[in-house]
């Protein structure tokens, strides 16, 4: 496998940014035809785009089935357009896929070959992208995902200024509807937003569109554990199929390495 370090300019972000890309070397593809399945893999809040390569064995796992793995820099933007900051949602949802396909022609255009995953903050981002672009992604995975932003804002007050910059004020009820995952919000404000994850799943299902297959994992001793459990409970209520796995583990790379090891072959299942 080859590891390529990319630096390029983003018009959506208004600055240079970067990504690591893992892909099969030419010597591995001599007898093969067609384009390759691709996984967009997001990092967490206190990491950067180098961490998946540095802390896990994702390159070795990817080589077993000729994956292209794209690991972009999400900074601390939660993969969404910030209230006061950069348009990360537009970048990851629209610009980045175009840049990657133009740079790496082996990336498939087919939905059945396109996947997305992430850890912690990246788990929030992967779920958000998959549900905002269900026509693009066949399946999505969240590892120890920071899925419930309102809970995040309450549980981690040390990040209050960052969360307000990204999502708006919780106390002032200015939290963007797309990021409010509470059951109360779904009851009281169900028709006011088409962008929060639960409402998006309901909308996609009602319209008869295919919902990306979902894989959720979380360590039982992880502080994020309640968020993953709540999320799958919502999917049960809506009637969305998913795969949920939990095992002993905390919010660390030992758990995330095992998660990506399990997720890659799961992605290849047909249902």
């Amino acid at each position: 496998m080859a590891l390529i370090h990319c630096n390029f300019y983003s018009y959506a972000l208004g600055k240079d940014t970067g990504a690591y890309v893992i892909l099969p070397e030419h010597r591995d593809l001599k007898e093969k035809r067609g384009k390759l399945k691709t996984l967009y893999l997001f990092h967490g809040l206190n990491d950067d785009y180098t961490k998946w390569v540095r802390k896990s064995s994702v390159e070795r796992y990817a080589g077993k089935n000729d994956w292209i793995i794209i690991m972009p820099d999400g900074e601390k933007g939660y993969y969404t357009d910030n209230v006061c900051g950069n348009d990360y949602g537009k970048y990851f949802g629209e610009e980045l896929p175009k840049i990657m396909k133009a740079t790496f022609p082996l990336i498939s255009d087919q939905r059945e070959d396109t996947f997305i995953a992430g850890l912690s903050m990246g788990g929030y981002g992967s779920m958000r992208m998959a549900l905002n672009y269900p026509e693009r992604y066949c399946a999505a995975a969240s590892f120890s995902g920071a899925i419930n932003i309102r809970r995040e804002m309450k549980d981690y007050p040390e990040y209050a200024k960052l969360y307000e910059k990204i999502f708006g004020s919780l106390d002032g009820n200015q939290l963007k509807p797309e990021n409010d995952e509470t059951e109360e919000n779904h009851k009281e404000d169900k028709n006011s937003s088409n962008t929060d994850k639960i409402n998006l799943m309901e909308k996609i299902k009602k319209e008869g569109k295919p919902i990306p297959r979902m894989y959720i994992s979380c360590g039982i001793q992880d502080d994020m554990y309640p968020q993953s459990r709540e999320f799958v409970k919502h999917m049960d209520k809506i009637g969305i199929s998913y795969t949920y796995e939990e095992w002993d583990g905390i919010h660390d790379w030992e758990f995330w390495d095992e998660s990506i090891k399990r997720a890659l072959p799961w992605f290849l299942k047909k249902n």
Side-chain angles (χ1 to χ4, degrees):
M1 301 294 281
L3 175 64
I4 299 176
H5 188 184
C6 304
N7 292 105
F8 48 88
Y9 184 82
S10 164
Y11 288 95
L13 300 179
K15 62 179 182 180
D16 287 335
T17 187
Y20 269 166
V21 179
I22 295 170
L23 75 167
E25 297 180 51
H26 287 294
R27 62 183 179 180
D28 299 325
L29 294 170
K30 289 180 180 178
E31 303 301 324
K32 299 183 181 180
R33 298 289 186 272
K35 299 197 175 183
L36 302 178
K37 52 194 169 297
T38 301
L39 171 66
Y40 290 85
L41 186 58
F42 292 168
H43 64 75
L45 180 65
N46 293 317
D47 294 333
D48 61 26
Y49 64 99
T50 69
K51 280 296 183 73
W52 272 109
V53 171
R54 292 164 55 199
K55 295 290 188 176
S56 80
S57 296
V58 64
E59 181 175 349
R60 180 163 55 88
Y61 303 148
K64 295 179 180 179
N65 292 105
D66 290 332
W67 283 93
I68 294 177
I69 311 286
I70 297 169
M71 297 159 284
D73 194 355
E75 300 184 64
K76 294 182 182 291
Y78 265 84
Y79 306 95
T80 187
D81 291 343
N82 291 189
V83 171
C84 299
N86 291 322
D87 291 337
Y88 292 99
K90 182 178 180 181
Y91 168 65
F92 288 104
E94 301 175 19
E95 187 178 26
L96 179 66
K98 293 178 182 178
I99 292 173
M100 290 293 105
K101 288 177 183 178
T103 307
F104 301 101
L106 283 176
I107 293 176
S108 173
D109 291 322
Q110 300 303 307
R111 181 180 186 268
E112 61 265 27
D113 294 328
T114 309
F115 308 84
I116 191 165
L119 69 89
S120 195
M121 176 187 78
Y124 169 86
S126 64
M127 295 292 104
R128 182 183 183 280
M129 286 295 145
L131 293 171
N132 273 279
Y133 300 92
E135 73 285 351
R136 179 185 302 158
Y137 298 105
C138 175
S142 167
F143 314 137
S144 312
I147 300 172
N148 187 323
I149 295 304
R150 187 172 288 272
R151 178 185 282 271
E152 283 285 292
M153 296 173 83
K154 290 180 178 179
D155 289 351
Y156 301 99
E158 63 270 28
Y159 292 114
K161 290 185 179 179
L162 174 65
Y163 290 147
E164 287 192 17
K165 176 184 175 182
I166 297 170
F167 302 112
S169 171
L170 176 61
D171 294 335
N173 295 318
Q174 296 174 0
L175 184 68
K176 293 193 295 182
E178 67 178 275
N179 301 308
D180 190 345
E181 301 299 330
T182 62
E183 187 170 353
E184 290 78 8
N185 181 67
H186 300 142
K187 290 179 180 178
E188 297 172 3
D189 198 29
K190 189 171 182 179
N191 295 320
S192 68
S193 170
N194 290 324
T195 50
D196 78 83
K197 290 183 285 301
I198 304 302
N199 286 346
L200 269 173
M201 282 191 279
E202 293 177 337
K203 181 175 182 289
I204 296 169
K205 185 176 181 181
K206 184 178 180 180
E207 293 175 350
K209 296 179 180 179
I211 297 177
R213 293 186 294 117
M214 300 290 183
Y215 176 90
I216 313 293
S217 70
C218 196
I220 297 171
Q221 291 79 26
D222 194 322
D223 290 342
M224 302 291 188
Y225 181 72
Q227 296 189 40
S228 292
R229 295 292 299 177
E230 289 172 2
F231 189 60
V232 298
K233 188 182 297 183
H234 281 305
M235 287 194 285
D236 280 333
K237 290 180 180 179
I238 300 171
I240 302 299
S241 62
Y242 61 87
T243 295
Y244 174 74
E245 292 190 304
E246 61 179 51
W247 59 90
D248 285 336
I250 59 174
H251 210 68
D252 68 0
W253 278 101
E254 182 177 351
F255 185 86
W256 301 324
D257 181 70
E258 179 64 22
S259 291
I260 190 63
K261 182 180 180 181
R262 296 186 185 199
L264 286 174
W266 179 88
F267 283 138
L268 301 182
K269 296 179 180 179
K270 297 301 180 183
N271 51 52

